[in-house]
Amino acid sequence: MIRMSALAALGLALGLLATAPAMAHHSFAMFDFNRTVTLKGTVKEFQWTNPHVILWIETDPVGTDAPAMWAAELTSPGNLMRNGWSHQTLKPGDKIELELNPLRDGKHGGGFHRATLLATGQELTGAGPGPAKP
């Protein structure tokens, strides 16, 4: 009886250790949720992949700033589908306004907050990682 309990405890401990990397994956500390950046540009790629969908846009030139590539991280395809998205929601060539919480390290990327399709005015929300904005 004691041997079975010890084996069960060992199995539980090993199971918890195996899940530690998965739990660490869901940190959003890299995003600055105290700041929001709004960009206008053209969708270059919409990567519908696990564990997170990635949206790549090329920004429109502003003043003397040249166009730049930015990446926005969304949630998983499954979560997006539950919010009405599909792999065809955004297509290369779509002109959008993108709102994101930028990366803390200053690189061109961030956590998706909202996008607006400029041709139709359709707003896409509710699928970004981290805390919801008011």
Side-chain angles (χ1 to χ4, degrees):
M1 185 71 110
I2 293 173
R3 187 174 175 172
M4 278 301 250
S5 295
L7 285 175
L10 178 62
L12 178 62
L14 290 174
L16 290 173
L17 285 174
T19 61
M23 291 188 303
H25 167 79
H26 291 285
S27 171
F28 301 110
M30 65 189 149
F31 303 124
D32 184 351
F33 289 104
N34 294 317
R35 293 183 44 226
T36 303
V37 172
T38 303
L39 308 163
K40 284 190 179 180
T42 304
V43 173
K44 288 299 176 186
E45 190 172 353
F46 187 51
Q47 296 174 332
W48 190 263
T49 57
N50 278 312
H52 298 278
V53 171
I54 304 294
L55 168 63
W56 290 91
I57 72 162
E58 182 175 29
T59 61
D60 294 340
V62 178
T64 58
D65 292 341
M69 288 296 292
W70 280 72
E73 181 176 334
L74 291 87
T75 188
S76 69
N79 286 337
L80 288 172
M81 287 172 51
R82 284 187 283 281
N83 286 316
W85 291 59
S86 81
H87 67 281
Q88 295 182 336
T89 298
L90 292 169
K91 296 175 270 331
D94 284 346
K95 300 283 188 183
I96 64 169
E97 181 175 274
L98 174 64
E99 189 176 307
L100 52 76
N101 299 108
L103 290 169
R104 291 183 188 275
D105 66 6
K107 292 182 181 174
H108 289 165
F112 177 88
H113 180 63
R114 161 188 356 251
T116 303
L117 291 165
L118 296 178
T120 64
Q122 179 185 10
E123 190 175 276
L124 305 167
T125 62
K133 290 282 191 175

